[in-house]
């Protein structure tokens, strides 16, 4: 068998569900499989450049449009068929640790996995920081009966791994939303609405990465004309069910965050009203002595109590009594 590791490339030949170890290039590996008329080639690539992808496309007979999609990346999840070759695009997601109250934190990092599935080969191209595919290979190699199902077994294992990673991400985001709700509804707490908007923006990005894959999975399950075994279809049906679960949860996140934004804005409005009441109350308390002092500061010659011996303390006492009464009334009505 073939095993080539050149930093960004892993190539292997599988016969009867088992991996062989002769050193072959992917061209030699494909020629070996076709000469035997048995087994398949599994080629893994990480962000190949244009020259590498052109050579792979020529060797395996890949359609030029699909090869171009691989080079440029940033594709929506989709399933396309070119003759007897299927081209599946999936978006990968990865949860990033962040400060919950940050209004600029990146929460979800996305990448891509592109799969070419032919009668005697499977090519997986990865873009972005998303691990676990080597573990998928190891798990399949430990299960020869699954690998005997052919290249489509590899496609199912990769799709299952990607969708399972979605479940882990939404679990983490669910905890973030719970913490955000607790912070918003905690008495006396202050939380920036921008942080909730940021979390909602990341959920929208997650929805755009995950949701379109549902159509591709349904097509793989329901289209009998595709070159897939019935056993693989049943496995893919389980993947599609998990994907539906993820999509529904993301929609719930979107609704919850919209409600949370409304609640946070309402709380801000209530807080502003409370602050305005306090400001108004203190302004009223300051207005009384200001008014009385203003009257006695007009310097008219004939004014009541102007020459009275107790005039000054009497005016001060009146100010204190009126201000004290206002303060007690405002405090009783929770304005202060």
């Amino acid at each position: 068998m073939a095993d080539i590791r050149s930093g960004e490339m892993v190539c292997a030949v599988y016969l009867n569900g088992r991996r062989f170890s002769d050193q072959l290039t992917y061209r030699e590996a494909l020629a070996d499989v076709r000469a035997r008329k048995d087994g398949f080639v599994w080629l893994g690539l990480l962000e190949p450049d244009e020259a590498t992808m052109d050579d792979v496309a020529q060797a395996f007979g890949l359609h030029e449009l699909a090869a171009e999609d691989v080079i440029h990346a940033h594709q929506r999840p989709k399933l396309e068929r070119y003759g007897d070759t299927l081209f599946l695009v999936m978006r990968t997601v990865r949860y990033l640790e962040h400060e919950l109250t940050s209004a600029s934190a990146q929460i979800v990092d996305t990448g891509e996995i592109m799969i070419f599935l032919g009668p005697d080969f499977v090519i997986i191209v990865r873009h972005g920081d998303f691990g676990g595919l080597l573990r998928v290979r190891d798990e399949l190699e430990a299960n020869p009966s699954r690998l005997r199902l052919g290249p489509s077994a590899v496609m199912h294992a990769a799709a299952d791994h990607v969708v399972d990673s979605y479940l882990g991400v939404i679990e983490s985001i669910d905890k973030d939303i719970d913490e955000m709700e607790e912070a918003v509804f905690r008495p006396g707490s202050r939380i920036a609405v921008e942080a909730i908007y940021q979390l909602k923006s990341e959920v929208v990005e997650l929805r755009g990465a995950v949701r379109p894959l549902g159509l591709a999975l349904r097509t793989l399950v329901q289209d009998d004309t595709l070159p897939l075994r019935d056993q693989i279809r049943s496995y893919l049906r389980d993947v599609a069910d998990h994907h539906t679960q993820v999509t529904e949860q993301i929609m719930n996140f979107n609704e919850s965050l919209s409600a949370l934004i409304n609640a946070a804005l309402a709380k801000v409005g209530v807080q502003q009203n409370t602050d305005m009441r306090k400001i108004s109350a203190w302004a009223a308390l300051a207005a009384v002595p200001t008014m009385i002092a203003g009257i006695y500061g007009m310097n008219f010659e004939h004014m009541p109590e102007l020459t009275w011996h107790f005039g000054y303390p009497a005016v001060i006492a009146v100010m204190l009594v009126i201000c004290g009464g206002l303060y007690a009334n405002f405090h009783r009505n929770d304005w202060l």
Side-chain angles (χ1 to χ4, degrees), residues 156 159-160 163 217 234-244:
H156 159 260
D160 187 49
V163 173
L217 292 175
S234 64
Y235 293 151
L236 287 170
R237 188 175 295 109
D238 183 64
V239 176
D241 289 342
H242 289 167
H243 180 270
T244 299

Side-chain angles (χ1 to χ4, degrees), residues 281-282 285 321-333 336:
W282 286 112
L285 290 174
V321 168
I322 295 175
C323 289
L326 287 173
Y327 180 85
N329 184 61
F330 290 145
H331 186 72
R332 185 170 58 252
N333 290 282
L336 287 176

